[in-house]
Every structure is written in structure tokens, then in C-alpha cells.
Amino acid sequence: MRFLAITLIAHRPDPTTGVRTPTHDRFREVVDNALFAEELGFDGFGVGERHERPFLSSSPTVVLSHIAALTRRIRLFTAVTTLSLLDPVRAYEDYATLDHLSGGRLDLIIGKGNGTAQRELFHVTPEDQWERNAESYEVFRRIWRQDKVTAATRFRPPLTDAEVRPRPYQRPVRVWHGSATSKESVDLAARYGDPLFSANVTHPVEPYAELIRHYRERWEHYGHDPARIAIGAGTAGIHVAPTSQQALAAYRPVFEADLAFARRSGLPVVFETLEDFAERSSALIGSPEQVIDKVHRYHERFGHTVLHVHADAGGLSHTQHRRSLELFQSAVAPVLRDDIPDPPFAWAPVLPASPTARTEEGPARD
């Protein structure tokens, strides 16, 4: 099993102290968390893309490029790239450049994105967002694979023998499809034989398990080898402590503050108590043994081989969160790595054998 640390770069007051970190310092936290994730041995670090309050993640390529310059091993993920809002040509240019700068360490997780404000900002409607997402991905995918592209597009000017540069480093880049509730994303992933990343953060396990079952059905419908399926899953929170009592006590102020925020904001409340949240949500709150057991229970339903946890403290103290991640990597991750297989593809950056090397899975120099 592989492990990612992911941030959406939320920028609201700390749920327990009420203090909002200055923007400059919040970006510094993200970079520090990425360096810490690499130091601990995480396999990937992800940055979301949002174009509305309370997030600062409107430019993930810039953030990930900075992280790429400061790291050497960890893979860099988007979580998610909102292709329904973006021009696929411009998105390709940014991500191909990032892939070169990172030495082939880029993975994309794409999705339509959520939120009314960002849809309005980009003049995307609920009626056309799925079609935009599919068209943008199809064009993006072709540009990554073809030196010249002709496409009769609906949502951007058509392309005629278009050459887009730089040509990519990885051939091709791996693209995961992020899905929270939609069969549209699942079907798009299955159609192209791409891996799926289940959000798995808001509800109990059942709706996510149903989407993953649908993904497996559609995968076989499109004629792909079931042995090549790769699934990732998110978590709703994390705090690993030596005992369950310590974990719950430390996380209780965070949960209660988040619950109060949800009620003030009119958001639906799925879990009324911390105990219910720790038991029935995907949150990993407890002793190492409890966390291992929960991941196994979810793996039985999902068959996932990649797991993401929160890179941010999210209301825990800096020390509490870092100790939790340290304990996760020392006492939880090794067991899960032994018990649960890796995804069915190479994980390490693919480096060229020569300046002209070019294969289906490997990189090519411009």
C-alpha cells in the first residue's frame, strides 16, 4: 500500500483557537508539511485546486513546482485538478512544465470540482460541468500523447494540427479520476482504463463502496484487465496516539469546533458525536492497532491500494499532528505495506535511459 499526505490549503480560523494564519505563513506551512512528509517516508504529497473561500489552492502548479524544487523523492499529486473549469491546452502546458521540473514525479487527480462560487467565477453551469470535464480530459489526454492534435471542441476554440509545448517528460502522465458521489467520473475513469480515487471523507462507507463497485463493473464493460485496476481512498481526519483514549481526547476539541461550524453554516451533520465519527467515518482516530484495523475494514470494501491522510494539523497543535504522522509512519504504515499490495504499476519516478529514450510508459526528452 502507498500513502499520500494531502492539503486543500484551507484558510479559515483555526477551529480550536479562532486564529487565522496569515496567507504568507499558510503557504509556508504547506511547504514545510511537504518536506516533513518526504522526511517521514510518505509516497506522495498532494495539493488541491479550489477557486473559492476558504481555500488558497487556486494555483496548484505553482505550489507543486516550488515543492518539486525542494524535494527529491516524493511524488507530487493534484487533488484535484478541476478540468471542468480549465482550458485543457493551458492546463497541459502548466502540468507538462511541472512534470519536467519535478523529473517525472507528477501524478494528476482530476475532477469537475465542487462549489457554486467557483462555477460562477468560470461561467460553468451545473448542466454543462460534466460535459466540460469529459471534453477537457479528452483533449488534455490527446495533447499529452500526440505531437499534433485536431479536435472539434465545444467549450474552447477548435484545434487544427495544434502543437503544444513543451512536449511531455512522462509518456504518459498517470491520471487518476477523483470521485465523491458521481457515476460520471467513475465511468470516465473506467472508459479510459485510468485509476480511481474515492474522496471517502463525508459519509459512512456505503455510498463510496457502491461507486467503486460501479467502477469495477464499468472497467470490465470496457474490456480492461481486472488485474490492472488501481483505487485510492481518502480519509476524513487523522490522529494516531499510543492509546485510543489519548487519541479521542486530543481530537475532541477539533471535532466539536468543526461540528459547531457546520451547524452555524447550515451544512448537513452526518456524525453527531466524536465516538460515532471515529467509528463510522473514514477518519483514522485511535491507537495504531485501531487504525490498522479500520484501514483493513475499508480495504475489504474498496480493494484500495493507495490511501491519503491530511497533511494539515486542522485544529490539532503542530506538535500533536507531527507526532501523529510520525506514529502513523512508524507503527501503522509498515504493517499496511506488508498486508496490502501496491497498485499494479511502477511508483518511482521514471528516468530516461538516454536523451532520446521514448517508450509507452517512460519519458521522452523534448
Side-chain angles (χ1 to χ4, degrees):
M1 180 169 249
R2 297 286 182 164
F3 302 99
L4 317 180
I6 284 183
T7 178
L8 302 183
I9 321 186
H11 191 229
R12 62 182 180 92
D14 184 284
T16 55
T17 67
V19 175
R20 189 196 306 269
T21 303
T23 298
H24 176 82
D25 294 340
R26 183 70 183 94
F27 281 121
R28 184 69 253 171
E29 285 179 353
V30 171
V31 174
D32 288 346
N33 287 342
L35 296 177
F36 187 60
E38 179 166 81
E39 177 187 330
L40 287 180
F42 277 89
D43 301 290
F45 187 85
V47 174
E49 180 181 343
R50 301 291 188 276
H51 299 271
E52 60 187 347
R53 292 177 182 269
F55 304 102
L56 299 176
S57 50
S58 59
S59 188
T61 49
V62 175
V63 177
L64 288 171
S65 290
H66 186 66
I67 292 170
L70 299 174
T71 56
R72 292 293 175 267
R73 177 196 56 80
I74 200 165
R75 289 196 71 81
L76 307 172
F77 281 72
T78 63
V80 301
T81 296
T82 53
L83 278 182
S84 65
L85 310 179
L86 305 178
D87 182 326
V89 175
R90 193 71 186 92
Y92 166 82
E93 291 171 337
D94 285 343
Y95 283 109
T97 300
L98 170 56
D99 198 37
H100 276 281
L101 292 174
S102 67
R105 288 187 283 144
L106 176 65
D107 274 48
L108 295 177
I109 307 175
I110 67 162
K112 71 168 179 61
N114 294 314
T116 301
Q118 65 181 13
R119 278 203 313 267
E120 293 176 350
L121 183 65
F122 288 89
H123 295 275
V124 173
T125 69
E127 292 75 27
D128 69 20
Q129 60 185 346
W130 289 112
E131 293 178 23
R132 286 177 178 272
N133 186 63
E135 178 182 287
S136 290
Y137 178 54
E138 288 161 5
V139 172
F140 181 94
R141 191 175 192 275
R142 287 179 60 191
I143 295 172
W144 205 285
R145 288 164 170 77
Q146 300 172 17
D147 291 338
K148 292 185 178 181
V149 172
T150 297
T153 49
R154 176 184 170 194
F155 297 107
R156 60 145 287 126
L159 300 173
T160 303
D161 287 334
E163 296 184 78
V164 189
R165 308 188 79 78
R167 296 313 300 146
Y169 188 82
Q170 294 186 97
R171 294 279 180 117
V173 70
R174 183 175 302 114
V175 177
W176 303 69
H177 295 247
S179 176
T181 58
S182 72
K183 289 186 176 180
E184 289 89 344
S185 290
V186 165
D187 189 80
L188 189 65
R191 186 190 320 164
Y192 285 108
D194 293 332
L196 180 73
F197 217 109
S198 172
N200 190 40
V201 296
T202 305
H203 301 286
V205 68
E206 286 77 13
Y208 306 111
E210 175 58 33
L211 277 176
I212 290 171
R213 280 195 296 272
H214 182 68
Y215 170 66
R216 293 181 182 278
E217 291 168 2
R218 299 307 291 170
W219 180 278
E220 294 196 33
H221 168 80
Y222 287 115
H224 303 302
D225 181 357
R228 301 299 299 170
I229 283 179
I231 296 167
T235 55
I238 183 169
H239 186 59
V240 189
T243 69
S244 60
Q245 293 84 358
Q246 290 172 308
L248 289 169
Y251 205 85
R252 191 172 301 279
V254 177
F255 175 81
E256 291 177 349
D258 285 341
L259 181 63
F261 175 81
R263 286 175 170 156
R264 287 196 308 271
S265 304
L267 300 174
V269 173
V270 179
F271 305 101
E272 295 279 355
T273 68
L274 173 61
E275 286 72 19
D276 189 36
F277 180 66
E279 175 61 27
R280 292 197 305 122
S281 82
S282 62
L284 303 178
I285 303 169
S287 67
E289 294 78 12
Q290 288 174 310
V291 169
I292 291 167
D293 178 68
K294 175 174 270 193
V295 174
H296 272 291
R297 284 189 280 122
Y298 269 77
H299 178 71
E300 289 173 4
R301 303 292 299 276
F302 293 171
H304 61 307
T305 53
V306 180
L307 179 74
H308 90 51
V309 301
H310 291 199
D312 300 317
L316 295 166
S317 73
H318 177 81
T319 300
Q320 285 174 323
H321 184 58
R322 293 211 160 192
R323 286 179 177 170
S324 169
L325 294 183
E326 288 171 348
L327 188 56
F328 178 87
Q329 280 293 348
S330 65
V332 175
V335 176
L336 295 175
R337 289 187 196 278
D338 286 343
D339 292 348
I340 298 174
D342 283 348
F345 43 69
W347 190 268
V350 180
L351 300 178
S354 71
T356 58
R358 178 172 177 172
T359 67
E360 178 63 22
E361 295 297 329
R365 298 277 188 173
D366 201 8

